[in-house]
Amino acid sequence: MLCQAALKPCEKGKKAFDGKVAIVTGSTYGIGFAMARRLAEDGAHVLLCSRKSENVERAIEQLKEEGLSISAIQCHVGNKEDRERLVATAIEIYGKIDILICNAAVNPFVGPIFDTTEEMWEKVFHVNVISTFLLIKLVAPHMQKQGGGSIIICSSFIGYIPHPYIGPYSITKTALLGLTNIMAQSLRSMNIRVNGLALGLIDTSFSNVIKKTPELASKLVPLGVIRPGKPEECTGIASFLCSEDASYINGENIAVTGGIRGRL
Ligand code: NAP
């Protein structure tokens, strides 16, 4: 991997994100946890967060035991005060933010679309889409102040191939594909790159609901799912997109699906 400072291989013993600061939302287990660990292994100071303090404590303990530079804070991304505290904490501890991975998401309902309620639609759009935008809006001025940064928005293959049985969630993931593009256009003059990952079926607690719902599970093999991916299989691309190696990649949504279609 290339060093952040210059387009040349890292000096011996130096890591790609030495001195960089990253926030990863929804990072106490699953894909966010794996991404946070990878960025820290690549040299970044990483601020973890999620809703439940017991998860926050377990995650920080585990990664600190691995010798990684980690801080953590309880944060529900749907909550304004929590988002503000998350950003303020990063600035207080590290004085800057170089990388933001917007990974946290919810799926409040699985079933026929006409059984969904207004509250479910509001919740899933608020947490998955609106909060992602609002967090980027909070972080961007800090990145601008230091001359740039890199943001990743975690979407899904289901954003391209929506399914009525997880209708509202699917539509939020389609919206995130668009948000990635709009954010990239809006922030490029500040040297902030915004890219998206359209993730495939990944082995986490989140995907259990898909695997256990016959209406959804029966679609996976026809779509081309030979096996679920591992959270760690989403991390190399995240690290690459945040690095100087990807300095000319902006506004892209990259499929990490093991072969499921990841294009409109
Ligand atoms: P996961 O295993 O359920 O992990 C979710 C993480 O987010 C946990 O750390 C959870 O901790 C935290 N979290 C949940 N809601 C939060 C909120 N409102 N605010 C802050 N943190 C929150 O999920 P995952 O499978 O890793 O999914 C991660 C991302 O990948 C999501 O955006 C998901 O849509 C996307 N994705 C996943 C798959 C898949 O097959 N797994 C496929 C496509 C896309 P707490 O419970 O403590 O909050």
Side-chain angles (χ1 to χ4, degrees), residues 85-222:
R85 203 156 38 90
L86 175 68
V87 174
T89 301
I91 297 301
E92 198 180 304
I93 301 177
Y94 303 112
K96 62 171 187 161
I97 302 164
D98 300 288
I99 294 165
L100 170 65
I101 300 189
C102 297
N103 168 73
V106 289
N107 176 29
F109 181 75
V110 177
I113 186 98
F114 288 112
D115 289 351
T116 57
T117 63
E118 186 170 348
E119 290 70 32
M120 289 169 191
W121 281 86
E122 281 173 352
K123 178 176 179 182
V124 73
F125 264 84
H126 182 69
V127 173
N128 295 6
V129 183
I130 298 170
S131 302
T132 298
F133 167 70
L134 292 172
L135 184 58
I136 291 173
K137 187 176 168 192
L138 272 182
V139 167
H142 294 286
M143 290 183 166
Q144 183 183 21
K145 223 181 278 172
Q146 85 218 14
S150 178
I151 296 172
I152 291 182
I153 295 176
C154 292
S155 179
S156 169
F157 71 100
I158 216 124
Y160 290 115
I161 314 168
H163 193 288
Y165 235 68
I166 36 172
Y169 170 80
S170 298
I171 297 167
T172 65
K173 291 295 175 180
T174 309
L176 290 176
L177 300 170
L179 183 67
T180 298
N181 190 287
I182 297 278
M183 289 295 92
Q185 292 185 56
S186 307
L187 296 174
R188 65 187 167 202
S189 64
M190 302 174 194
N191 194 32
I192 299 171
R193 293 182 300 105
V194 186
N195 289 293
L197 292 176
L199 302 168
L201 185 79
I202 308 299
D203 223 347
T204 67
S205 56
F206 199 86
S207 63
N208 282 342
V209 65
I210 296 183
K211 287 182 253 165
K212 285 183 186 155
T213 306
E215 288 81 356
L216 297 170
S218 62
K219 302 282 182 223
L220 295 173
V221 171

Side-chain angles (χ1 to χ4, degrees), residues 156-162 198 223-224 255 257-264:
S156 169
F157 71 100
I158 216 124
Y160 290 115
I161 314 168
L223 278 175
T257 62
I260 312 175
R261 196 181 78 210
R263 283 276 170 271
L264 279 175

